[in-house]
Amino acid sequence: MKIPGSYIAAVAVGLIASSGLTAADDLVLSGWGLDAKNMETFLEQAADVGFDALITGSTDPEFLAQAVEAAAKHNISILAYISPMGHIQRAWREAYPDVPIPWQVMNDDEEAAFNFISAGDNSYIIPYQWGGEAIMTNEVLTNRAICFSSDAARDLFKPMIDNIASVPGVDALGFDGFGYQNYRRCYCEECQKRLADYMAAHPDMPEEEASVNYFRDALVGYINHLAGYARSKRANIKTSIHIWPVFMPEPLYGNRLDIDYCGQTAAWYTLWPEEKIAEYSRIIVQDANNYYPRQQGVGMIGYYDRPGEFPVKDAERVDMELRTMIENGCRRIQVCSSIHVVNSPEIAEVFRRYFK
Ligand SMILES: [Zn+2]
């Protein structure tokens, strides 16, 4: 975070309104992705774009310590994320080589959709949203994710969090991919049983509402448990997330999380209308403290330079999205992928105008 001395002085004497701050002074940009192969060059370029923080998927303390040291030269913070997809798959196979991974279970229609979407180039032909707000009935994510009722799987995150928290320079534990593969729920035996218990405890609640509430709260409780665990390991560690895949019954549920930097999608990879970007930005910021005082609402913008696969966002489009988010109150912004932003000169220039 770039805090000029004049800003701190202004806060100290309560004169912030008359301090002559420009908008960029309090805008914070974090990016998903750290180019580990060209780390020095990448960090220099990222700093030149205005990145304040970068989020990496490595949980290796040695790598993280190196990244922290290299990034510090450019005033960039390093965050490290865990995910119930790739990370947990590797950890489970090591811990329980003979036991099947407790993936979330989908129903037959969703599995059929999974097979269709995964086949060939189908995901690039249909209006697939990649875990963003779905347009098609039965859109599902093509990544498997662990079931949140498996306590054995949940405990496998703890050594990863220990590793991350053990590197003092790592500012925050990140969360990515914490959601349901079918954007709603899991159908495994244990989840069915827990849902039945929940319904028995809430006999007046209609079935659909009970399912939404149960699976939303199970996901929220799971993330909050791991965030609390991280703070038990290092009291000053921050937490960060991007809410993905979407929870369709309540896309902006992120404010229920006891997380410091709660990234919720304000501008997806597919081209959302300006009014929707504005509305979501306002909600992300205004409702951030409905449940927890530590939370700061963060607007997430998707940017991939993968023409033919993802809709093309030109500089004008990216400028409209960033401007709309900022004008509607977002002071903290996350982008994925930071690598694509840094490597696209015209897009990097747009970000530079706001964040450098
Ligand atoms: Zn389950």
Side-chain angles (χ1 to χ4, degrees), residues 80-117:
Y81 74 83
I82 52 173
S83 123
M85 297 169 181
H87 285 116
I88 209 74
Q89 184 171 349
R90 286 190 295 274
W92 184 276
R93 289 209 170 118
E94 261 174 47
Y96 308 106
D98 302 324
V99 184
I101 301 173
W103 294 128
Q104 292 172 17
V105 174
M106 302 195 293
N107 68 26
D108 291 346
D109 289 344
E110 291 161 352
E111 279 297 331
F114 173 86
N115 290 328
F116 175 77
I117 295 164

Side-chain angles (χ1 to χ4, degrees), residues 26 64 132 160 224 249 276 291:
D26 70 338
L64 290 173
M160 297 181 213
N224 286 351
K276 179 166 178 161
Y291 300 89

Side-chain angles (χ1 to χ4, degrees), residues 147 149 186 188 191:
C147 168
S149 71
C186 172
C188 82
C191 284

